[in-house]
Amino acid sequence: MSTTQTNQIEILKSPTTKINEVDFENLSFGSVFTDHLFECDFKNGEWQKPIIKPYAPFLLDPSSRVFHYGQAIFEGMKAYKDTQETVWLFRPDENYKRFNKSAVRMAMPEVPEEIFMNGLNQLLQLDEAWIKKGSGNAMYIRPFMIATGKGVIANPSNEYKFMIILSPVTSYYAGEVKVLIAEHFSRAANGGIGAAKAAGNYAAQFYPTNLANEAGFQQVIWTDDATHTKLEEAGTMNVFFVINNVLLTAPVSERILDGVTRKTLIDLATSENINVEVRPVLVSDLVEAAKNGTLQEIFGAGTAAVVSQISGFSYQDIYYELPKIDNSVAAHLKNKLTNIQNKLEEDKFGWTVKV
């Protein structure tokens, strides 16, 4: 195992590689990881020396605070390789800013930009061979931080571990997606941590989503916690609606995650002269639009799938099928966005960043 030092990051290169064991044509999303990971610990009130080392399990004390009090946050990002074999990130500054917003909300230390960005870039450079070019191919990037301080006392930890792991992915296809509109369960509440990308947010979704799966639906469209009358997110994604040729999505709030894909699609739609309205969308609006034929599309937006079209929804035991549209807004925006990400179309917005 060779050791080098670059920009204050110690690099321990793996003596072997797993890349030849991977079937890149048949990847299960988020299940295969590259040869290396990035790690930096927070101890004694300051960040320690960062390191890139071979991907491997690590030990934690059973009393580590992450296990008992849930101090854990993460981000989802992607890197892309263009036809010239150059690697690009997409709006990494937005993910970095949101990561630290989550950290503040969860009483965790903010990660310095130098550690986050240098670590990410050098890790991608080291495992560049794992990034495959071509439509749908990308490197999924998972920065995360957990509380590693010992002791089962209900206080914020005094020690943390920040890490970045990489997972090669192909096009994310979930098939036909039918959704159930939540009438009882909520993703998040006012004053809570819904706007933070905290691990516990996702754990709390699993049970109601399992119930929806048992009823024949793939996901849940979450409604507000107080009245269950406002449509907020779809599964783990922001949600958009096209009603009477207007693209609608709810404004971000304490309950709704400020998605990078969400804000990107809003900007793209505006630039394409699509009528966009960011405002509360009521369940009653959706049902009425489905009944009178003005509901044209529903789709989710997020890093993993980019855009996930929804074929129908159920509310109060009534199922509403959406019309089949050849030239949908969802497909058009997804194509525009993925072309920019893969450098197949001009990036007029300055979103892509060379690694």
Side-chain angles (χ1 to χ4, degrees):
M1 186 180 300
S2 63
T3 303
T4 59
Q5 191 166 319
T6 308
N7 291 341
Q8 305 306 311
I9 299 177
E10 183 179 2
I11 299 177
L12 300 178
K13 291 186 178 179
S14 175
T16 59
T17 179
K18 303 170 291 187
I19 195 169
N20 297 321
E21 304 167 15
V22 177
D23 180 0
F24 284 91
E25 299 299 319
N26 296 285
L27 291 169
S28 177
F29 192 93
S31 63
V32 173
F33 298 93
T34 66
D35 292 322
H36 300 89
L37 59 79
F38 174 85
E39 178 181 290
C40 190
D41 290 319
F42 182 87
K43 295 181 179 179
N44 302 316
E46 60 184 15
W47 288 98
Q48 307 299 301
K49 185 179 181 64
I51 185 171
I52 291 175
K53 63 184 185 180
Y55 186 101
F58 60 93
L59 294 175
L60 284 178
D61 191 283
S63 72
S64 294
R65 304 283 176 90
V66 64
F67 299 135
H68 304 274
Y69 304 110
Q71 278 185 290
I73 60 172
F74 67 94
E75 271 297 323
M77 311 168 63
K78 280 181 179 175
Y80 306 84
K81 185 174 280 186
D82 67 18
T83 56
Q84 305 302 312
E85 303 283 341
T86 303
V87 178
W88 300 85
L89 289 163
F90 185 76
R91 307 191 75 175
D93 56 320
E94 294 290 342
N95 292 100
Y96 169 70
K97 288 186 289 187
R98 190 174 65 181
F99 188 86
N100 276 340
K101 284 178 65 177
S102 297
V104 170
R105 181 61 183 86
M106 298 297 289
M108 305 170 82
E110 295 181 66
V111 177
E113 184 173 7
E114 181 182 5
I115 290 176
F116 190 104
M117 292 301 184
N118 284 353
L120 173 56
N121 275 275
Q122 291 190 47
L123 182 61
L124 286 169
Q125 290 169 17
L126 189 59
D127 283 343
E128 181 188 341
W130 289 76
I131 310 173
K132 302 302 180 182
K133 63 183 180 181
S135 178
N137 294 325
M139 180 66 77
Y140 185 77
I141 303 163
R142 172 51 59 88
F144 66 100
M145 179 162 52
I146 58 173
T148 54
K150 302 172 186 176
V152 289
I153 181 170
N155 286 331
S157 177
N158 57 1
E159 295 184 0
Y160 297 88
K161 186 178 291 291
F162 170 63
M163 304 183 74
I164 304 174
I165 54 178
L166 306 177
S167 178
V169 294
T170 55
S171 293
Y172 188 102
Y173 177 67
E176 184 175 273
V177 178
K178 299 190 295 184
V179 297
L180 185 67
I181 293 181
E183 299 177 54
H184 172 69
F185 294 103
S186 297
R187 176 190 173 271
N190 283 328
I193 58 171
K197 211 159 172 61
N201 284 341
Y202 297 79
Q205 294 184 34
F206 295 156
Y207 174 68
T209 302
N210 284 346
L211 295 180
N213 294 162
E214 292 169 5
F217 299 91
Q218 285 70 50
Q219 283 294 351
V220 175
I221 289 188
W222 306 104
T223 51
D224 67 289
D225 63 301
T227 67
H228 294 289
T229 61
K230 298 174 183 177
L231 298 158
E232 301 200 324
E233 293 195 7
T236 59
M237 310 176 80
N238 294 116
V239 65
F240 287 82
F241 310 90
V242 181
I243 298 176
N244 202 22
N245 296 316
V246 178
L247 182 62
L248 304 170
T249 193
V252 295
S253 67
E254 291 179 307
R255 303 184 307 273
I256 298 177
L257 191 71
D258 188 8
V260 177
T261 305
R262 171 192 173 276
K263 64 178 64 178
T264 299
L265 293 182
I266 291 171
D267 289 345
L268 273 178
T270 302
S271 74
E272 293 286 297
N273 295 316
I274 295 170
N275 192 355
V276 181
E277 292 183 14
V278 178
R279 61 168 175 81
V281 183
L282 302 180
V283 177
S284 58
D285 293 339
L286 190 68
V287 171
E288 178 60 27
K291 288 179 178 178
N292 66 29
T294 58
L295 175 61
Q296 296 156 287
E297 299 178 52
I298 306 175
F299 58 92
T303 299
V306 185
V307 168
S308 180
Q309 290 184 287
I310 292 168
S311 60
F313 71 93
S314 179
Y315 180 66
Q316 294 184 341
D317 298 323
I318 300 175
Y319 182 71
Y320 301 89
E321 187 80 21
L322 270 68
K324 305 295 183 185
I325 299 176
D326 291 331
N327 300 308
S328 68
V329 171
H332 175 69
L333 292 178
K334 181 177 182 178
N335 184 61
K336 293 285 292 184
L337 175 52
T338 54
N339 279 348
I340 291 172
Q341 290 171 331
N342 287 282
K343 306 301 285 185
L344 299 175
E345 193 169 318
E346 181 187 0
D347 175 14
K348 298 181 297 184
F349 304 90
W351 287 333
T352 50
V353 178
K354 187 176 179 181
V355 172

